[in-house]
Amino acid sequence: MKPIRKYLLYGAFTLAVLVISLYLRFPSELVQAMLLKRLAQADPEIHLTTAKVSLSLPVGIKLDAPALAYAEIPVVRMDACKMKPQLLSMFRKRKHLSISGSMGEGELDGRIEFEDDPSRPHAIVILNLDRTRVDYIEFLNQWPAFLLDGLMDAIVKYDSTKGGGTADISTEIRPAKISLENPFMGIETLEFTSISAQMTLTPRMLQIRNCDATGDQLESKLAGSIVFRQPMSNSRLTLSLTVKPLPAFIADHKEDMIGGLLASENAQKRGVVFRISGTIGNPRYVIR
């Protein structure tokens, strides 16, 4: 055997043994502790839990069953998540990681940027969700008054330096179904072709800049804010909901109270405005 081939063979064998050893003896607890420390430096309101951290080949780590909370509020869970560094950025002040995850039949991908400077913590996260079941978005499961179901596409842009940590969220759920815990004027469920929303999330509040819901029976617009309190049912509501009935809804509810409310010509042209205040656990409605 020629020397060059022998050295290549020995080198490949050594590399294979090293990779296998790293995989079998991967210090998952140490890596998990380091990851949590980095997140805390970037924003102490972020809290990540995971069942297991393991090596992901060729270069990266895999998180099993990770769940993310923000300001003590559950945000999202995944079946699995992989993080891979952009190798050249590891030698720079600003590090870059790519992220991908599985959420049932849905997928998540995006990137994370952070400054490797504890004195000036800074993190930017950009995530894209594709056809993800709403129940994986645990933030939407915190409202006891209604249950939301459907498939979601979303774009999340988070910056730890804005307002103590701010996430801008654009999302669309299609199709969408809302089930009410306490029927409202005889209505137990609402079905929509799509619900699209643009929101801003901070540790203190959720600002709903715009939310449009369209379907065969109703069109509605929602805007306002939810100021967080613990427990979540004590969070304060300041919302404005405009509901415009379509002919199919009027026909189905002509004998109901809400059918009578929305049957007027003015309601069908301009819609009916509901002012919602109070708390999530005890909302108050004023009809205009």
Side-chain angles (χ1 to χ4, degrees), residues 125-193:
V125 181
I126 300 176
L127 301 176
N128 298 285
L129 281 73
D130 181 46
R131 304 301 285 167
T132 300
R133 290 205 323 265
V134 167
D135 59 285
Y136 277 87
I137 315 302
E138 295 194 317
F139 176 76
L140 297 176
N141 300 327
Q142 302 301 304
W143 322 111
F146 69 90
L147 177 65
L148 181 62
D149 189 24
L151 296 176
M152 173 185 285
D153 295 335
I155 299 175
V156 180
K157 298 180 180 179
Y158 168 81
D159 190 331
S160 66
T161 64
K162 293 173 58 178
T166 298
D168 291 316
I169 304 167
S170 297
T171 183
E172 182 177 13
I173 303 171
R174 49 187 172 86
K177 179 180 179 181
I178 300 174
S179 300
L180 303 178
E181 181 181 27
N182 299 311
F184 180 73
M185 293 187 180
I187 295 180
E188 297 181 355
T189 62
L190 295 167
E191 296 187 9
F192 297 96
T193 306

Side-chain angles (χ1 to χ4, degrees), residues 95-111:
K95 317 298 184 186
H96 295 252
L97 300 173
S98 64
I99 180 172
S100 61
S102 59
M103 309 165 77
E105 296 180 358
E107 297 179 347
L108 174 148
D109 67 82
R111 73 177 190 271

